[in-house]
Amino acid sequence: MAASVPFSATSTQTTPFSHSNSFSSFLGFQCRSRHSWPFLIRTCSTRHCRRSRNVASNQKQTLKDPPTQEGIADGLDSLAPDSATIALSIKYRSEITPLFSPEGFELSKAYMATAQSVQDRLIQNWSTTYDYYEKMNVKQAYYFSLEYLQGRALLNAIGNLELSGPYAEALKKLGRNLEEVASQEPDAALGNGGLGRLASCFLDSLATLNYPAWGYGLRYKYGLFKQLITKDGQEEVAENWLEMGNPWEIVRNDVSYPVKFFGEVIEGSDGKKQWVGGEDITAVAYDVPIPGYKTKTTINLRLWSTKLASEAFDLRAFNAGDHAKAYKAQKDAEKICYVLYPGDESIEGKTLRLKQQYTLCSASLQDIIGCFERRSGGSVNWEKFPEKVAVQMNDTHPTLCIPELIRILIDVKGLSWKEAWGITQRTVAYTNHTVLPEALEKWSLNLLKELLPRHVQIIEMIDEELIQTIISEYGVEDLDLLQQKLKQMRILENVELPSSVLELLAESEKSSVVDTAEETETSDEETESSDEEDELEEESETEPKGSLKKPDLKPPEMVRMANLCVVGGRAVNGVAEIHSEIVKTDVFNDFYKLWPEKFQNKTNGVTPRRWIRFCNPDLSKIITKWTGTDDWVVNTEKLAELRKFAGNKDLQSEWREAKRRNKMKIVSFLKEKTGYIVSPDAMFDVQVKRIHEYKRQLLNILGIVYRYKKMKEMSHKERKANFVPRVCIFGGKAFATYVQAKRIVKFITDVGATVNHDPDIGDLLKKVVFVPDYNVSVAEVLIPGSELSQHISTAGMEASGTSNMKFAMNGCILIGTLDGANVEIREEVGEDNFFLFGARADEIAGLRKERAEGKIGNDFVPDPRFEEVKAYVRSGVFGSYNYEELMGSLEGNEGYGRADYFLVGKDFPSYIECQEKVDQAYQNQKKWTEMSILNTAGSYKFSSDRTIHEYAKHIWMIHPLQLP
């Protein structure tokens, strides 16, 4: 793009999705390969092609008699294809795929051919869905998330299509096993933790419930990282999930948008602003169809990949031999989508993160606006934009969509500031996922000015609008109060107030001084002040009460993204009842007082399709049998019917047998992944989640150390009487630059290395195992077979959690604090079926304050058992690694990385006492099984279907649209 041409939302795009000839435009762009074949759906005449990849393969099995085009088309037209038809489809795909040689049918090829045959059917439903949405021109929700933790797609897709049986039988006919074929699929490396898993659950529910919606994200080439566990702890290597190609995505080279960075803003003679010059890249769409369960509705996840436009390649430099210069712009463009959450300790890392966030926002909004204009026909009424579009920001990462939407509406579409600001405030909504200060993003104002100069101008205008609102609300009579509110609420932190506001405050300040002087002159009868009072009066003359004091050292100027989200959005929601209350009373209390109608709660949920129906088929069959229907898969309220059978001996027997089979799967899995052999007779005690100090994996492992030490001090007979055999399983990734979290991983593995090779206690503390590279597929193995799951975060610090819901759904009993969704889970499953310990959220601030002030009382006298454990760790029993930094973080009253900020020591006594209750309960297997059943029965509330219905009704204002 020439430097003189203003950056436009439509300047280089092609039609994003023309429904006048939807299938040909949707798929025809892919015909670039040396291989092509007819797209196998009779209703369309297009040809569906995939790009060629040169991948060597071993030829071990062969397929004969490839099917004809007509035979496959007949099969796809059938509403309920049989296994023979599916086998023909798979054979056909295996013969013509360019990914492998035509002769072999090894597992990797069998997976690719099977996935492609499923994708054919998904695309048919996908196109039908959007043809209908286009025709009906309904309001649509658009979910913006920097993460999507999808997991494997094959089993989920055929499960939602109700084709699991036919596909299993078809592969059996071809000499393959469905589970073995499915295991060849790598997890899509598009997310890390609960944020991404929630987004994926939401897409599944949106499709299942027939809501018109799309997801938008980025296509990361190398993901976050692949985790290796070595003697040194965690090591990180790049993910290779795209190495063999991704059969679930469709490259949309016909859907691309320009994205600009840097440059400058110029003002024309007409007063209009133009953002020119700088660095231009291209965002290209990759579409992933998302099928609903038992419905034709198939929605879209559109992922953006970045590249340099061909015309921007510096051919002159390349031919002159300066290859590095020629490639630099290309690599700068491509690396935006290399890694999820690149390290941001350097200015280059911070810049790259901001580029990622802006790319997601800009490309997605250009796409949405193009769709709105196309559906509007010849007459576009921008006031109707919020009636057709709802944008949901999943955390603060997509915050830049607020100034970007305003920029497009003003600079490109010609709207006024008032019109653009009003439209934006009615379109965008924000989900808060954290109360951690470091996760409430702040970005350097100077960095933003350099990278996105036009957006900073718009943010400054929004900040000024907010300032005027605050002044209108609080007035200028009490300048101390006003200063406090401005400091807490402004979007721009440590930035001087606009000149117009300073003038207003100066006038008010001057008036205040005059009033004070008049009062002094008329107070003839006042007694003479003391010397001390005279000094104070002298100070007040030079600096009157309520004056805006200037700090001696100017702190860095920052942009508070969460504040921008609250101001620019129509709704703000937390993700659990306790979290939403903290959002209102603490995190955004001033905003809540100003706009109470904006704030809502939307307790998270998980999809029961993936997290019970497909990952735990044994339990699913039992639930269907005892509830009398499989309708619970979409109406989880029916799970509550299990309550009346919880004490039934027959159900309990079936329940234990299913749990045993799932535990055997874990036994095989752990042996394959870690080499450890564990006993299925032991209790399986699991904590799997992102490694973070507030999630308190450290509390868990210190509890295990205490257990181990006590066992070592006992006789064999005493151990048997006091402890239930356990296998303690950990999993999760520590962020690559989070040193303390990586120390915790190292500590867990060191404890495991000692405990697992100690013959004295091998019959009771069976194993301490850290599962490497925890992801969705690992969770689908571990969760169904778990018996105790630990959700032990410091109260008030976990927004919600979703793994707690998955474990409860699968009949796993939780031990935890009153934090996040634990509070509501405990209410639903029953207090007697949840192991509770620890300080409450409303106690935390006071406990920290007392410790910081060095007060000695019952709350802060170190528990002898806690001191005993720390001394044992320091004794070197777990190896030569120096754990002083880790243990030291639990000591002292103040200082960075000190003072036990996450209250591990405070909660340690109640934690180990609660674990003793767990041991006692587990010894009564009849009672334990009843508790397990009641956990599944009480988990009905925590379906993402319920959550999506609430978003749709109260925030997005969209309605289900059933395909005819």
Side-chain angles (χ1 to χ4, degrees):
M1 183 187 301
S4 61
V5 179
F7 181 52
S8 166
T10 57
S11 57
T12 64
Q13 74 181 71
T14 57
T15 303
F17 186 23
S18 173
H19 285 268
S20 58
N21 186 13
S22 64
F23 234 60
S24 58
S25 66
F26 220 34
L27 302 168
F29 65 88
Q30 288 195 343
C31 299
R32 292 176 173 268
S33 162
R34 59 187 175 86
H35 296 276
S36 64
W37 55 90
F39 185 64
L40 308 175
I41 298 178
R42 279 185 170 182
T43 56
C44 303
S45 59
T46 186
R47 297 173 66 82
H48 178 65
C49 308
R50 298 186 184 272
R51 291 191 296 174
S52 171
R53 297 175 178 85
N54 184 16
V55 181
S57 61
N58 296 321
Q59 301 175 8
K60 295 182 179 179
Q61 274 188 257
T62 60
L63 294 173
K64 298 180 181 179
D65 303 321
T68 63
Q69 172 189 341
E70 290 75 14
I72 301 300
D74 286 341
L76 282 176
D77 275 344
S78 170
L79 292 178
D82 58 21
S83 59
T85 303
I86 290 173
L88 287 174
S89 172
I90 295 172
K91 287 176 68 177
Y92 180 80
R93 280 297 184 185
S94 72
E95 291 294 336
I96 49 82
T97 178
L99 297 171
F100 301 92
S101 60
E103 294 83 6
F105 194 59
E106 60 275 13
L107 275 174
S108 55
K109 182 175 181 179
Y111 159 68
M112 193 63 69
T114 303
Q116 289 174 343
S117 76
V118 176
Q119 181 78 322
D120 289 340
R121 185 165 294 277
L122 292 183
I123 292 174
Q124 183 181 24
N125 291 342
W126 184 46
S127 181
T128 301
T129 300
Y130 281 94
D131 275 337
Y132 193 57
Y133 289 174
E134 194 83 1
K135 175 183 175 182
M136 301 303 293
N137 191 18
V138 295
K139 184 175 184 180
Q140 196 163 313
Y142 299 92
Y143 200 78
F144 284 30
S145 180
L146 212 56
E147 291 188 45
Y148 289 91
L149 206 57
Q150 294 288 92
R152 291 170 175 162
L154 177 57
L155 294 181
N156 191 75
I158 61 176
N160 278 359
L161 292 169
E162 299 181 272
L163 294 175
S164 299
Y167 264 91
E169 186 61 30
L171 283 167
K172 186 176 180 181
K173 293 176 187 291
L174 299 172
R176 289 296 181 190
N177 174 276
L178 175 58
E179 289 190 5
E180 290 179 351
V181 170
S183 70
Q184 297 298 300
E185 180 179 359
D187 275 38
L190 300 171
N192 175 37
L195 188 76
R197 188 53 241 166
L198 179 75
S200 296
C201 284
F202 279 3
L203 293 184
D204 178 88
S205 288
L206 284 163
T208 297
L209 300 174
N210 301 299
Y211 281 113
W214 275 29
Y216 282 104
L218 296 181
R219 180 181 181 267
Y220 304 106
K221 185 174 183 180
Y222 301 117
L224 182 71
F225 59 80
K226 184 175 182 178
Q227 182 192 54
L228 305 178
I229 299 298
T230 70
K231 62 180 179 62
D232 297 317
Q234 172 183 293
E235 293 184 8
E236 305 91 23
V237 297
E239 286 272 11
N240 61 349
W241 73 289
L242 291 172
E243 193 172 76
M244 298 293 288
N246 179 10
W248 304 105
E249 68 183 13
I250 300 169
V251 189
R252 297 297 309 277
N253 288 318
D254 65 326
V255 181
S256 63
Y257 298 93
V259 178
K260 179 183 288 295
F261 307 108
F262 305 109
E264 62 178 338
V265 180
I266 61 174
E267 186 170 344
S269 58
D270 57 357
K272 290 185 177 180
K273 304 282 181 68
Q274 291 185 352
W275 181 18
V276 300
E279 173 186 306
D280 297 310
I281 66 162
T282 300
V284 180
Y286 283 70
D287 286 345
V288 181
I290 306 294
Y293 179 73
K294 289 189 176 182
T295 176
K296 284 184 179 179
T297 299
T298 302
I299 65 173
N300 193 41
L301 170 58
R302 176 158 285 177
L303 303 172
W304 301 107
S305 185
T306 48
K307 68 176 186 178
L308 189 68
S310 299
E311 59 270 18
F313 180 72
D314 194 342
L315 188 60
R316 179 175 295 180
F318 186 86
N319 287 332
D322 194 348
H323 299 160
K325 179 183 177 183
Y327 278 119
K328 184 179 184 306
Q330 182 176 329
K331 291 302 178 185
D332 284 346
E334 291 176 354
K335 72 181 181 183
I336 292 172
C337 291
Y338 274 178
V339 174
L340 169 64
Y341 301 138
D344 62 352
E345 294 185 342
S346 66
I347 188 65
E348 292 81 8
K350 289 180 172 66
T351 301
L352 187 56
R353 281 211 187 188
L354 270 173
K355 282 186 172 183
Q356 287 185 334
Q357 294 184 6
Y358 179 60
T359 297
L360 169 63
C361 296
S362 181
S364 303
L365 283 171
Q366 291 180 66
D367 200 38
I368 292 167
I369 288 170
C371 177
F372 172 74
E373 290 179 314
R374 185 180 64 255
R375 291 182 180 180
S376 297
S379 178
V380 177
N381 182 352
W382 289 104
E383 280 300 312
K384 291 187 176 296
F385 188 77
E387 298 174 19
K388 297 295 182 181
V389 172
V391 172
Q392 188 70 36
M393 300 181 293
N394 192 27
D395 216 346
T396 53
H397 306 128
T399 304
L400 289 168
C401 74
I402 293 171
E404 174 66 357
L405 179 55
I406 294 172
R407 184 196 69 79
I408 294 173
L409 293 175
I410 294 176
D411 296 357
V412 181
K413 304 303 177 184
L415 274 65
S416 68
W417 163 260
K418 183 178 180 181
E419 290 171 326
W421 179 227
I423 289 168
T424 300
Q425 285 188 303
R426 289 184 289 132
T427 300
V428 178
Y430 162 54
T431 299
N432 173 272
H433 282 280
T434 184
V435 299
L436 297 178
E438 65 269 22
L440 291 171
E441 289 185 300
K442 296 180 183 180
W443 288 104
S444 162
L445 180 61
N446 288 333
L447 175 58
L448 270 168
K449 280 181 178 178
E450 182 182 4
L451 189 68
L452 302 169
R454 180 62 176 128
H455 296 75
V456 169
Q457 293 180 344
I458 293 169
I459 291 170
E460 288 172 344
M461 294 174 73
I462 298 172
D463 187 57
E464 190 164 351
E465 290 270 354
L466 174 62
I467 290 169
Q468 295 297 339
T469 302
I470 294 170
I471 292 173
S472 297
E473 179 70 16
Y474 293 99
V476 294
E477 292 78 17
D478 187 340
L479 290 184
D480 282 339
L481 175 63
L482 181 60
Q483 182 179 11
Q484 176 189 353
K485 295 300 179 184
L486 290 171
K487 182 178 180 180
Q488 292 172 345
M489 299 176 71
R490 283 189 67 190
I491 296 164
L492 299 179
E493 185 178 45
N494 306 320
V495 176
E496 190 173 272
L497 290 164
S499 57
S500 60
V501 177
L502 287 173
E503 290 172 7
L504 173 66
L505 296 180
E507 283 296 319
S508 175
E509 188 174 285
K510 183 178 178 181
S511 174
S512 175
V513 172
V514 171
D515 291 343
T516 303
E518 290 176 352
E519 289 175 10
T520 303
E521 289 175 4
T522 57
S523 300
D524 295 332
E525 297 180 1
E526 288 185 3
T527 59
E528 195 170 318
S529 302
S530 66
D531 292 342
E532 183 179 352
E533 289 172 334
D534 286 341
E535 291 173 6
L536 292 174
E537 186 174 337
E538 287 173 9
E539 289 178 8
S540 70
E541 288 174 0
T542 57
E543 195 171 297
K545 181 181 179 182
S547 64
L548 297 174
K549 301 174 183 178
K550 297 180 180 178
D552 294 333
L553 296 175
K554 188 171 177 60
E557 296 180 333
M558 307 295 287
V559 179
R560 296 189 274 205
M561 307 304 267
N563 289 21
L564 178 54
C565 286
V566 175
V567 176
R570 68 179 306 273
V572 179
N573 72 277
V575 289
E577 288 177 2
I578 184 174
H579 170 240
S580 295
E581 284 303 307
I582 292 171
V583 165
K584 291 190 292 186
T585 59
D586 184 10
V587 182
F588 298 124
N589 181 246
D590 289 313
F591 290 107
Y592 173 66
K593 290 176 180 177
L594 189 61
W595 299 306
E597 69 283 356
K598 277 193 180 189
F599 289 80
Q600 304 183 21
N601 174 61
K602 298 289 175 281
T603 298
N604 282 343
V606 299
T607 168
R609 270 74 64 184
R610 182 180 287 270
W611 292 111
I612 310 183
R613 177 67 184 84
F614 303 145
C615 78
N616 199 343
D618 288 336
L619 185 64
S620 297
K621 291 173 184 175
I622 294 171
I623 294 172
T624 298
K625 173 184 174 182
W626 286 85
T627 61
T629 178
D630 66 355
D631 194 39
W632 61 268
V633 181
V634 287
N635 294 304
T636 50
E637 294 83 359
K638 294 187 180 295
L639 291 174
E641 295 181 17
L642 291 170
R643 286 173 173 156
K644 59 189 177 186
F645 304 115
N648 185 285
K649 291 182 179 179
D650 292 334
L651 173 57
Q652 288 194 2
S653 177
E654 294 175 22
W655 202 270
R656 280 193 292 269
E657 288 174 9
K659 182 66 73 173
R660 176 80 177 189
R661 286 192 292 270
N662 286 322
K663 289 177 72 174
M664 291 304 299
K665 291 178 182 178
I666 295 178
V667 171
S668 300
F669 174 81
L670 293 180
K671 182 179 180 181
E672 176 190 349
K673 296 296 182 182
T674 70
Y676 286 126
I677 299 173
V678 302
S679 170
D681 296 324
M683 177 202 297
F684 282 14
D685 174 353
V686 180
Q687 187 180 19
V688 283
K689 52 183 75 244
R690 180 167 53 92
I691 309 297
H692 197 291
E693 288 170 277
Y694 89 83
K695 293 179 183 287
R696 299 204 294 190
Q697 287 90 352
L698 183 56
L699 176 60
N700 185 353
I701 193 63
L702 288 175
I704 291 170
V705 169
Y706 179 79
R707 187 183 188 89
Y708 174 64
K709 185 176 186 297
K710 293 295 121 182
M711 286 181 179
K712 294 286 286 182
E713 295 169 354
M714 292 179 181
S715 67
H716 179 76
K717 184 176 180 180
E718 288 173 322
R719 292 173 199 149
K720 295 283 283 186
N722 286 279
F723 295 103
V724 166
R726 293 201 195 195
V727 174
C728 301
I729 302 171
F730 292 84
K733 295 180 179 180
F735 190 65
T737 57
Y738 190 175
V739 175
Q740 194 75 323
K742 294 178 78 169
R743 287 192 185 112
I744 293 171
V745 174
K746 167 67 173 165
F747 184 39
I748 294 169
T749 58
D750 281 353
V751 172
T754 299
V755 169
N756 297 345
H757 297 94
D758 189 334
D760 290 345
I761 53 85
D763 57 338
L764 285 170
L765 191 51
K766 295 288 187 178
K767 287 291 183 294
V768 176
V769 183
F770 194 101
V771 179
D773 205 36
Y774 178 70
N775 57 23
V776 174
S777 295
V778 174
E780 290 171 340
V781 176
L782 294 181
I783 290 175
S786 299
E787 293 170 290
L788 180 73
S789 181
Q790 306 215 24
H791 303 272
I792 57 177
S793 52
T794 311
M797 300 198 75
E798 183 76 85
S800 168
T802 53
S803 64
N804 45 8
M805 303 171 184
K806 298 164 195 168
F807 280 101
M809 278 186 173
N810 284 272
C812 181
I813 301 165
L814 309 188
I815 179 172
T817 53
L818 284 179
D819 195 25
N822 282 1
V823 177
E824 293 162 77
I825 291 173
R826 182 168 175 261
E827 290 173 356
E828 297 298 334
V829 305
E831 294 181 5
D832 294 338
N833 305 307
F834 184 106
F835 294 103
L836 177 67
F837 75 96
R840 271 51 169 182
D842 58 2
E843 300 174 312
I844 302 299
L847 291 170
R848 286 175 178 153
K849 182 181 179 183
E850 288 182 19
R851 180 154 186 164
E853 293 172 351
K855 292 182 179 179
I856 302 299
N858 291 333
D859 286 333
F860 290 104
V861 174
D863 187 89
R865 292 164 292 185
F866 188 57
E867 295 301 295
E868 181 183 351
V869 166
K870 289 190 295 178
Y872 194 54
V873 173
R874 284 175 164 136
S875 73
V877 68
F878 300 114
S880 59
Y881 187 85
N882 185 357
Y883 283 108
E884 191 55 39
E885 288 289 339
L886 197 58
M887 296 299 104
S889 71
L890 307 175
E891 298 171 338
N893 292 333
E894 60 182 356
Y896 180 77
R898 303 278 294 178
D900 193 14
Y901 183 78
F902 301 99
L903 278 69
V904 173
K906 166 64 182 174
D907 282 349
F908 186 79
S910 62
Y911 175 69
I912 59 174
E913 289 161 10
C914 191
Q915 287 284 13
E916 291 171 2
K917 295 177 183 176
V918 171
D919 277 352
Q920 294 167 9
Y922 193 75
Q923 290 174 346
N924 183 345
Q925 278 294 292
K926 181 181 183 299
K927 178 61 178 174
W928 186 273
T929 305
E930 183 176 346
M931 294 170 69
S932 174
I933 295 169
L934 290 172
N935 265 265
T936 298
S939 69
Y940 69 92
K941 173 182 175 179
F942 304 102
S943 167
S944 51
D945 295 352
R946 186 262 316 150
T947 314
I948 286 299
H949 277 312
E950 293 177 0
Y951 273 100
K953 181 177 180 180
H954 301 299
I955 296 180
W956 303 334
M957 313 302 179
I958 62 173
H959 305 281
L961 188 64
Q962 185 82 42
L963 270 63

